[in-house]
Amino acid sequence: MLVSLAHSGAVFDVDMANNKGIKTALVTGAASGIGKGIAERLHAGGYAVVLADIQDEAGESLAAQLGERARYHHLDVTDEAQWDAVLSEVAGEQSLQLVVNNAGIGAMASIEETDLAMWQSIFAVNSTGVYLGCRKAIEYMNRERDSSIINIASALGKKALAGTCAYSATKAAVISLTESTALHCAEQGYRIRCNAILPGFIETPLLLESIAANEDPAGMQGYFTGLHPVGRIGRIEEVADAAFYLASEAASFVTGIAMPVDGGMTL
Amino acid sequence: MGRLEGKCAYVLGAAGKDNMGQVIARRFAEEGAQVAVGGRHMDELQSLADEIGGMAVKCDITSMDDIRSSVDAIIDNFGKLDIAINCTGWGLLTPFEETSEEDLKAMMDLQFKGPYQFMQVLVGKMTAPASIIQVSSATATILVGNHHAYIGTKAGIDHVVRGVADEFGARGIRLNSVSPGLTESPMTEGHLAVPGMREAFEKEYPMGRINTSEDIAAASVFLASDECFMTGQNLQVNGGLTLRRNPTPAELESYVAAAMAAMAE
């Protein structure tokens, strides 16, 4: 998982000399998959991390495994009151300088397979949850200190598939929300940047399980692989590393972008 | 440990004192890469190479022979080439109808044929994992006036990058371009000295300042590193400028006219 750390240079690690105290990052959906990878990368890079999720057991266990500078907090991203509860606590005692809106749900379903309840539930988490995450981050961050928001959108938000109807639409909304939020923060003089990452298909336990559960796993694997010009699906640490770049001083002049980390899938 | 430890890099367009290529070359070296610097003026290149412990190669990007011989010399010396970045460019400003055939040919040689052939040679010589980076421009996304030949060739290469990335992805060669906006550099110093000009640009940047070469060097380190899963992309590193626009030709001309009038007095 943390193979990439062997290559990390000082520039990409938290510059302790220029920061009074440790930077705190909140990552939603941090108990598993990409969120877990991002949280681990940030933690290894010197951040204090608040792992937020609704999978309490897995979240607590990851926090315990990371040890110092890590803790878990229950957070349903669709619930505004829960956002206030988490962020008032974090911002009250630490310097919240990064929010990664990663929590998301998906379904492989075409327009005809997507009923209203499914549409609304995917939008509630993937779009409304990120809207709340951006809005609450701005409310609780110290606007005079360099901070950033990273939204995990998807390559599917730029190029939909027939079978990703609601999912792609929610991710397209996140890309647009990211631009608007970045402009607003800049225009208000807040030192908060906002960017989106657009991962392609990534080797998460969830994806690997769904491939394994398919009646033709090899065919399914080939299908996903074939969507990426580089001839493979992505690794969790590759998304985590992109998030680390966007959060770091190295990207201090980058705001409002939708960065594909997709092995060329959106070409 | 540096981010590019064990890597060999070629930075083309590094002969101008303190230009973007030089800033990138110094940064790559700081990150642990062995760096070859290329361009047209060997004196300046050699002094940079001495400073960073690298090598200097002569390469005019409009010459296929120069591209081939410089890449060969680097691989002979380093044993391999993992990273290549093209920072050459020519910021020609000329009204559309007045663009001369001579200028147009020179622009196409420098900013289209050259980068195209640079990539042709590189994909044949580099082995996986490899990263090729073209310095593009925010103007390929948001226009600026009287800059058509420059913008057209930059946008053209962005699209070639997409196609070549698609074709060579499976061979472990990634290609991306990175787009700064107006950048503080010796090349733009005169332009920015026109009263009002700097402010005209700055007000369009959501982050309140124009680019520095360091911004592009930092992004290039990321694009060059093995952890990067991006390919075929055009990375906007311009403080949000492409969310907005560049100053209009009328605005810019008014500052130039005022400066000319002041000089005439």
Side-chain angles (χ1 to χ4, degrees):
Chain A
M1 183 67 71
L2 292 177
V3 173
S4 64
L5 293 179
H7 304 280
S8 313
V11 182
F12 283 85
D13 290 338
V14 176
D15 183 354
M16 304 296 281
N18 292 326
N19 288 288
K20 288 179 182 150
I22 288 172
K23 287 186 182 181
T24 300
L26 179 133
V27 182
T28 69
S32 61
I34 291 173
K36 181 177 179 223
I38 291 173
E40 287 172 329
R41 177 71 181 90
L42 293 170
H43 185 264
Y47 282 83
V49 290
V50 179
L51 313 166
D53 210 305
I54 53 172
Q55 303 175 68
D56 296 335
E57 205 176 312
E60 296 282 8
S61 147
L62 178 60
Q65 186 193 318
L66 292 175
E68 207 185 333
R69 287 185 286 110
R71 64 183 158 125
Y72 174 75
H73 213 301
H74 180 88
L75 173 64
D76 173 350
V77 295
T78 67
D79 184 336
E80 183 168 10
Q82 291 190 24
W83 272 105
D84 283 320
V86 177
L87 290 184
S88 58
E89 187 187 310
V90 173
E93 61 190 53
Q94 287 162 313
S95 100
L96 178 67
Q97 281 175 277
L98 174 62
V99 169
V100 182
N101 290 304
N102 164 75
I105 58 174
M108 289 298 283
S110 68
I111 178 83
E112 291 193 89
E113 293 158 344
T114 305
D115 63 19
L116 185 59
M118 182 192 282
W119 174 269
Q120 286 174 333
S121 69
I122 297 178
F123 261 82
V125 177
N126 293 9
S127 296
T128 308
V130 176
Y131 144 77
L132 280 173
C134 290
R135 189 148 191 268
K136 293 295 165 182
I138 294 167
E139 186 180 334
Y140 287 96
M141 278 171 167
N142 178 342
R143 299 163 183 183
E144 290 167 12
R145 190 166 42 207
D146 292 329
S147 306
S148 87
I149 301 168
I150 298 172
N151 297 327
I152 306 301
S154 168
L156 292 167
K158 211 174 151 197
K159 276 200 176 161
L161 303 173
T164 60
C165 169
Y167 184 81
S168 286
T170 62
K171 296 299 189 179
V174 168
I175 293 169
S176 178
L177 171 72
T178 301
E179 291 184 2
S180 176
T181 304
L183 275 173
H184 173 76
C185 289
E187 284 167 10
Q188 296 300 312
Y190 303 161
R191 287 164 61 179
I192 302 173
R193 296 177 296 107
C194 181
N195 294 289
I197 295 175
L198 280 51
F201 284 90
I202 304 295
E203 283 171 352
T204 58
L206 205 64
L207 182 73
L208 297 177
E209 280 162 26
S210 82
I211 290 172
N214 191 275
E215 56 192 25
D216 175 17
M220 194 69 176
Q221 173 82 40
Y223 170 72
F224 284 129
T225 301
L227 292 172
H228 304 78
V230 298
R232 64 175 176 88
I233 60 175
R235 294 187 288 264
I236 288 173
E237 60 263 32
E238 291 171 320
V239 180
D241 220 63
F244 202 89
Y245 162 71
L246 286 176
S248 74
E249 182 61 25
S252 56
F253 203 45
V254 177
T255 195
I257 72 164
M259 188 163 100
V261 179
D262 66 357
M265 180 177 153
T266 45
L267 294 175
Chain B
M1 185 167 170
R3 180 91 168 175
L4 303 178
E5 214 69 52
K7 296 289 184 188
C8 299
Y10 182 7
V11 181
L12 180 56
K17 190 162 174 50
D18 297 328
N19 70 3
M20 188 179 288
Q22 296 211 340
V23 172
I24 292 171
R26 288 191 180 102
R27 181 59 187 278
F28 279 8
E30 281 166 22
E31 293 291 340
Q34 281 188 283
V35 182
V37 289
R40 288 177 299 169
H41 308 292
M42 280 305 279
D43 287 355
E44 184 64 36
L45 290 168
Q46 193 55 55
S47 116
L48 177 63
D50 292 344
E51 176 195 326
I52 62 176
M55 69 180 284
V57 287
K58 185 185 167 300
C59 179
D60 176 343
I61 196 170
T62 66
S63 156
M64 185 58 151
D65 287 344
D66 275 13
I67 295 172
R68 283 206 187 93
S69 62
S70 63
V71 170
D72 286 345
I74 293 165
I75 293 174
D76 281 350
N77 190 28
F78 289 161
K80 62 168 184 166
L81 180 58
D82 308 298
I83 300 160
I85 180 164
N86 171 29
C87 316
T88 60
W90 177 35
L92 175 69
L93 284 167
T94 173
F96 180 65
E97 290 174 290
E98 293 165 29
T99 311
S100 69
E101 180 155 355
E102 189 187 356
D103 279 352
L104 194 55
K105 277 186 172 155
M107 180 61 81
M108 288 173 65
D109 276 357
L110 181 65
Q111 292 204 162
F112 191 81
K113 181 179 86 70
Y116 193 107
Q117 293 185 320
F118 188 52
M119 290 188 277
Q120 279 183 317
V121 171
L122 290 169
V123 297
K125 299 276 183 179
M126 295 172 95
T127 48
S131 173
I132 300 172
I133 304 164
Q134 293 284 351
V135 176
S136 181
S137 167
T139 60
T141 303
I142 47 149
L143 301 176
V144 72
N146 298 325
H147 215 28
H148 310 289
Y150 177 91
I151 292 171
T153 48
K154 288 287 191 189
I157 285 300
D158 287 347
H159 283 261
V160 175
V161 163
R162 287 164 57 97
V164 181
D166 184 27
E167 188 172 337
F168 288 87
R171 280 180 32 189
I173 301 176
R174 293 181 302 105
L175 299 97
N176 294 285
S177 63
V178 55
S179 285
L182 182 63
T183 304
E184 309 268 8
S185 76
M187 188 174 89
T188 58
E189 207 171 1
H191 190 64
L192 286 167
V194 175
M197 197 64 87
R198 173 181 289 276
E199 294 74 15
F201 279 92
E202 273 174 354
K203 73 176 166 52
E204 301 299 345
Y205 283 71
M207 297 191 72
R209 66 165 175 90
I210 63 168
N211 267 99
T212 63
S213 295
E214 284 76 10
D215 301 324
I216 302 307
S220 300
V221 171
F222 170 67
L223 289 173
S225 70
D226 285 343
E227 289 76 31
C228 183
F229 192 47
M230 292 175 70
T231 194
Q233 302 302 329
N234 173 220
L235 187 63
Q236 303 296 333
V237 180
N238 46 53
L241 176 67
T242 47
L243 299 172
R244 292 186 177 163
R245 54 156 219 166
N246 268 309
T248 62
E251 262 181 279
L252 298 179
E253 276 158 23
S254 71
Y255 297 117
V256 174
M260 305 263 284
M263 277 166 66
E265 270 173 24

